[in-house]
Amino acid sequence: LKRYEDIQTSGQLKLYGSVNGIYNDSILPSASIEIAVANAMLKYPKLPKSANGINFDAKVWFDGTNPDKSTVDVNRLQFSLGGNPFDAYLHVATPVSDMQVDGKVVGKVNFATLADVIPLDSISVTGLLETNLKFGGRISHLKNREFDRFNTEGAFKISNFSLSGSILPQELRINDVTLNFS
């Protein structure tokens, strides 16, 4: 962990969890975890920009007697990476029988500024991601090609994207992709 000892951080963290019940061949214990991060900041000392306004609020419930009653609620995921704001939420229910999702992703990421916030070592990335997308419905609607029953609205756009480095044998390039959902 020596690489991380000089990282500057601030903010508040709340973490709560519990496991209750019986464990045998047919039953698992139920478990819950809640995590909240408020007004957090993260800055690497040798880099010019920081990740600010980090807010995260999530609750996960696993029902050991009926896993289909389990839920995941990411009520808030919010941050700004070097001045690029990002805001999202996601709710998941009935994960076993027919997963139902409800979410929203709004943000703008200028990938060139990532290297100003996070050490990327031997990776080079540029381009712009812009999204304002809301979605919701059951996964079976997508599997059954009932796209009119799965609600999506908004857009997802990537422009002038380039990724290269030792992790790829060849540079990955995307000039312009825009997906509009309605």
Side-chain angles (χ1 to χ4, degrees), residues 129-146:
L129 165 72
E130 297 172 280
T131 184
N132 185 350
L133 182 61
K134 187 172 183 344
F135 56 91
R138 296 194 173 274
I139 296 302
S140 64
H141 298 151
L142 297 175
K143 288 181 181 177
N144 296 332
R145 298 183 165 276
E146 300 170 325

Side-chain angles (χ1 to χ4, degrees), residues 37-180:
V37 174
N39 300 317
M41 180 275 302
L42 174 114
K43 183 174 185 325
Y44 285 83
K46 295 179 181 177
L47 297 177
K49 296 184 180 179
S50 60
N52 297 307
I54 303 168
N55 294 288
F56 181 69
D57 177 18
K59 297 176 183 174
V60 177
W61 164 251
F62 174 75
D63 189 315
T65 56
N66 185 354
D68 204 35
K69 290 184 179 180
S70 301
T71 58
V72 175
D73 293 304
V74 178
N75 297 309
R76 186 167 149 186
L77 169 60
Q78 185 178 56
F79 56 85
S80 177
L81 288 175
N84 297 290
F86 192 86
D87 197 356
Y89 70 81
L90 175 67
H91 303 288
V92 177
T94 60
V96 177
S97 62
D98 186 8
M99 186 182 301
Q100 182 167 347
V101 297
D102 175 40
K104 185 173 184 179
V105 179
V106 177
K108 179 179 177 181
V109 176
N110 181 343
F111 290 104
T113 63
L114 282 182
D116 291 339
V117 179
I118 302 167
L120 297 179
D121 299 326
S122 62
I123 299 170
S124 175
V125 61
T126 60
L128 183 64
L129 165 72
E130 297 172 280
T131 184
N132 185 350
L133 182 61
K134 187 172 183 344
F135 56 91
R138 296 194 173 274
I139 296 302
S140 64
H141 298 151
L142 297 175
K143 288 181 181 177
N144 296 332
R145 298 183 165 276
E146 300 170 325
F147 301 120
D148 58 323
R149 296 183 69 191
F150 193 91
N151 183 32
T152 56
E153 56 187 72
F156 178 88
K157 180 179 181 179
I158 295 177
S159 55
N160 300 318
F161 181 80
S162 170
L163 176 65
S164 61
S166 61
I167 61 168
L168 296 172
Q170 187 174 345
E171 178 183 23
L172 172 64
R173 212 175 226 319
I174 301 172
N175 290 330
D176 188 40
V177 172
T178 301
L179 301 171
N180 291 310

